[in-house]
Amino acid sequence: MFMPVGSQATVKSLASDDLRDIGCEILLSNAYHLYLRPGVEVIREAGGLHRFMSWDRAILTDSGGFQVFSLAPLRRIDDEGVMFRSHIDGSAHHLTPEKSIEIQEGLGADIIMALDDVPAGGADATRLAEAVERTHRWAERCLSAQRRADQLLFAIVQGGSDITLRRLSVRALSAMDFPGYAVGGLSVGEPKDVMYSVLRETVPLLPVLRPRYLMGVGSPEDIVEAIWCGVDMFDCVLPTRVARNGAIYTRDGRRSIRQASFKTDWGPVDSECDCYTCRTFSAAYVHHLFKCEELLAYRLATIHNLRFMQRLVDDIREAIVADSLAAFRGEFLRRYRTTDEAVRLGQKRAHEGGRGRVARGATEPIDRCV
Amino acid sequence: MFMPVGSQATVKSLASDDLRDIGCEILLSNAYHLYLRPGVEVIREAGGLHRFMSWDRAILTDSGGFQVFSLAPLRRIDDEGVMFRSHIDGSAHHLTPEKSIEIQEGLGADIIMALDDVPAGGADATRLAEAVERTHRWAERCLSAQRRADQLLFAIVQGGSDITLRRLSVRALSAMDFPGYAVGGLSVGEPKDVMYSVLRETVPLLPVLRPRYLMGVGSPEDIVEAIWCGVDMFDCVLPTRVARNGAIYTRDGRRSIRQASFKTDWGPVDSECDCYTCRTFSAAYVHHLFKCEELLAYRLATIHNLRFMQRLVDDIREAIVADSLAAFRGEFLRRYRTTDEAVRLGQKRAHEGGRGRVARGATEPIDRCV
C-alpha cells in the first residue's frame, strides 16, 4: 500500500473525498506538525484525527522524530529525548518516547510509530551506531508507554547503509515483538543501488507475518524494487510535491505538463489513467492551468499522481496473487524512464522533508504550498 | 442569477463539478484573459470554451473592454478601438468592437458582451459623455460584426453617476434592440447610495422583457438592493476573492474564519448552509487549514461563499414568485451586518480587477492565486 502524506491533516490541495475517489485506504499524517498546530488537545476534542479531517479510512502517524531532526532549528538530543524549537514560532519543546506516544494516542491514528533517533545522511559510524542503540532503547520505552490497545505501534529499523548495523537493529527490534516494522534512514541522499542493497539484505530478516514499511520512499521504480525485496507499505511526498510542479506520472516515466507540446493536446494527461483528472479534462486544459498558476492545477495533478501510485500498488498486488511479480517488474522497469540520478539528487537537496529524506538542520517548513 | 467569475477558464480553486454541485447555472469568463492565454485558436480547436473547461452549462464572456482599461499598461483609445500591451508579456494588441466579437465568437460563450469605453472612476463630465457616445457607436459596430446566430449579444449602458447620461445611454441602446442589457461603470468607488440611486433611476427604463445585468456587483446586500431595482443578473469576484482571504458569508454578515474563536468550533462554518464544506467539515478544520495556508482552505471557503450567493438568488427568485420580495428584503437587510464602508473602499483600492471596479492603469495581474 502507498500512503499519501497529509502532514497537516490534509493531503495538499485535496479533500478527503478526493482521496476516497482515488482508492486510497490509508494516509500518513504527522505527530510533529499536528502537535505544533492545531495542537493535540484540539484534535482530541474533535474526536480524533479521523473526525477532524472527515476521513473514515485508516491513518498512520509518524512519531515526530524525523521531523524534529529535519525541520526544527536548535535541537539537542540525549538519551532522555530531543529538545527542539518549533519551526513555526520558535517555541521550545521536549520530545521523548513517552511524549510521542502520548501525542499519537491523542491524535488517534490506527498505526503509530515509535520515536527513533534519525542520524543525518552521511553520518559517521559512531553516530550511526549511537542512533541505532538509542532507537532500540526508545522503542522499548514506547512499548511501555502505550496505553491504548486499539492502535498498532510499529518499530523503526535504523543503521544507515551499514548492513551489520541494520541486521543488529532488525534482531533487537524483532525480539520486542512489534505488530509491524518500518525501515527508516533510507533515501537520505545515498545512491539508489545502495538503498536497494540495504533492502535486499535487511527486509527478508524481518518477521514474516508482520507488515514491513519503508519510510519516505519513493519514486515508482523504488516502490517496484522495494516490493520485490519484500516491502509492504510506503509513504512519500514525491507524487504530491512533483504534481504541484507540473510533473505527471505515466507508465513511460514522468513528464512535465508545462511543456509546450501539451498546449493543444486534447487527450488526457495519461491515456492509461482512470482518475478524475484524466476522465474529465484534457492535457491542454491542465497545461493552461499550470501556465496561469491557477489553484485548480495543483489539485488536478495531485489527483492524477496519487491515482497513478494507487494503481501501481494495486497492479503489483494482483501480480503477487497471480505469482507473476517477476514479469510485472521486468516489464515495468523496461518501460518506465526513470528520472536522471543527478536531477533526482539535486531535487532532493532543493527540497526539505519527507521521511527518509536527508535529515538536516534546515529551518524552512517543508510542507508549504508550492 | 449570480455568475461566478472564471476569467482564465476556471473559477479560482474550483473544478467544473464543484460549480455544478453548488447549483451554478452560468459562469462568467473573460475575452481579454483567454485571448492572451491560451489564445482563441487553442480554445476554438478544443471545440469552444465549454469543452475546454468541461462545463456543460451556460457561459457569458465579457468583451475585454473593462480589462484593457483596468489591467493593461500603455493603452491608447480612439474611435477605432484600443491599443494596449499585455499585462503578461508586454506584447502589443489592438482591440476593436469587431475584434472583440471575433474573439468572443471563437470562444463560443452563450452570452457575449459588446465592447464598451470604460471611463475611470471619478472621470469628468466630458470624458463621461465621450465614453457614452463611443460606447453607443461601438455597440452598433458589434451588432454588425456578429456572425454567429447562437450567441446573445448584450449591450452595456454607461454614464457614470450622471443620471442624464444614463438615461441617454438607455434610450440609445434600447433603440438598437439588443437581446439583453448590462449596466456598467458602477461600483467603481462611488458611495453605495449613489450606485443604488443610479440603479433606481436607470434600470426601470430598460426594455421590460430583456434580461438586465449589473456588471461587477457585488456584495450580498448590493444584490438584494439591485434586484429590488429590477436587475436580473450579476457577476462579481468578491465572494471568491474574499473566500481566499478566509472571509465567510453568512446571513448575519461576513466573518473571518481565521479568528481564534473558530479554533474549536465543531459546527459548520455556517449553520444554515447546505454546501459541501458545511456538510463535511467543521469550522475548526477550515480554520486550521487557513492557519496552515493549506491549498484546500481556498477551495472549501470558495465553495461555501458561492453556494451562499446561489442560495441568496434562489431565495430571492422564490420571494419574487411568491410576491414577498419586500418582506424578504426587509428581513435580509435587518439581519445582514454589512462590511464597514471605509473598510470596503479600502479593500476595493487594495485589489484590482473585476467588472465594475475602478478602472486604473494598474499593471499587476488581478487574478493571480492568493
Side-chain angles (χ1 to χ4, degrees), chain B residues 221-293:
Chain B
E221 74 272 18
D222 285 344
I223 285 179
V224 172
E225 290 298 43
I227 293 176
W228 183 247
C229 297
V231 174
D232 301 300
M233 299 169 61
F234 304 86
D235 82 278
C236 195
V237 295
L238 198 63
T240 44
R241 173 175 292 150
V242 302
R244 297 196 304 280
N245 287 324
I248 296 289
Y249 286 150
T250 76
R251 286 280 166 106
D252 294 312
R254 250 162 71 169
R255 357 159 72 182
S256 171
I257 194 71
R258 294 172 181 273
Q259 281 170 4
S261 59
F262 287 107
K263 188 168 181 182
T264 53
D265 184 336
W266 308 113
V269 293
D270 175 0
S271 60
E272 293 165 86
C273 183
D274 61 356
C275 80
Y276 170 71
T277 303
C278 289
R279 288 194 324 264
T280 315
F281 302 100
S282 64
Y285 183 64
V286 179
H287 169 86
H288 166 71
L289 295 176
F290 269 101
K291 284 297 198 182
C292 296
E293 296 175 29

Side-chain angles (χ1 to χ4, degrees), chain A residues 21-95:
Chain A
D21 289 350
I22 285 161
C24 169
E25 296 280 351
I26 175 168
L27 60 81
L28 176 140
S29 195
N30 242 299
Y32 171 86
H33 288 88
L34 298 175
Y35 161 74
L36 292 179
R37 195 169 53 188
V40 179
E41 274 320 303
V42 170
I43 291 182
R44 200 197 306 269
E45 200 185 311
L49 187 52
H50 296 80
R51 289 192 58 183
F52 184 62
M53 61 182 295
S54 288
W55 174 247
D56 54 6
R57 299 186 181 175
I59 301 176
L60 177 149
T61 45
D62 198 355
S63 59
F66 177 78
Q67 285 68 35
V68 165
F69 288 100
S70 61
L71 288 182
L74 294 175
R75 60 188 186 277
R76 203 175 63 235
I77 188 170
D78 60 23
D79 273 348
E80 181 53 22
V82 204
M83 293 284 310
F84 69 95
R85 288 193 178 276
S86 158
H87 72 279
I88 301 168
D89 62 5
S91 55
H93 301 271
H94 191 212
L95 187 63

Side-chain angles (χ1 to χ4, degrees), chain A residues 9 12 17 54 276 280 285 294, chain B residues 12 17 54 276 280 285 294:
Chain A
K12 291 197 179 305
D17 285 286
S54 288
Y276 171 70
T280 315
Y285 183 64
E294 280 283 356
Chain B
K12 291 199 178 303
D17 285 286
S54 287
Y276 170 71
T280 315
Y285 183 64
E294 281 283 356

Side-chain angles (χ1 to χ4, degrees), chain A residues 264-270 278 281-284:
Chain A
T264 52
D265 183 337
W266 307 113
V269 292
D270 175 1
C278 289
F281 302 100
S282 65

Side-chain angles (χ1 to χ4, degrees), chain B residues 1-3 183 185-188 190 192 195-196 199 213-224 226 231 233-239 309 348 354-357:
Chain B
M1 55 178 65
F2 177 81
M3 299 181 280
V183 179
L186 285 178
S187 189
V188 294
E190 78 284 0
K192 284 200 179 228
M195 174 173 88
Y196 297 153
L199 291 176
Y213 163 27
L214 177 54
M215 304 186 83
V217 176
S219 65
E221 74 272 18
D222 285 344
I223 285 179
V224 172
V231 174
M233 299 169 61
F234 304 86
D235 82 278
C236 195
V237 295
L238 198 63
M309 298 305 285
K348 193 175 282 292
R355 232 335 161 157
R357 289 181 173 278

Side-chain angles (χ1 to χ4, degrees), chain B residues 151-212:
Chain B
Q151 295 180 301
L152 299 177
L153 170 62
F154 283 21
I156 304 171
V157 171
Q158 288 288 350
S161 306
D162 182 326
I163 303 291
T164 311
L165 275 181
R166 288 278 176 187
R167 285 186 179 146
L168 174 79
S169 189
V170 166
R171 252 197 316 274
L173 293 169
S174 300
M176 298 180 208
D177 197 24
F178 283 88
Y181 290 88
V183 179
L186 285 178
S187 189
V188 294
E190 78 284 0
K192 284 200 179 228
D193 52 0
V194 171
M195 174 173 88
Y196 297 153
S197 126
V198 171
L199 291 176
R200 266 193 306 272
E201 302 289 333
T202 312
V203 175
L205 308 177
L206 288 166
V208 171
L209 295 176
R210 304 290 153 89
R212 299 143 173 207

Side-chain angles (χ1 to χ4, degrees), chain A residues 25 29 44 83-84 125 157 199 235 238 279 300 309 318 337 341 348 353-354:
Chain A
E25 296 280 351
S29 195
R44 200 197 306 269
M83 293 284 310
F84 69 95
V157 172
L199 291 176
D235 82 278
L238 199 63
R279 288 195 323 266
L300 295 186
M309 298 304 285
E318 263 182 46
R337 211 181 62 238
E341 182 80 358
K348 194 176 281 296

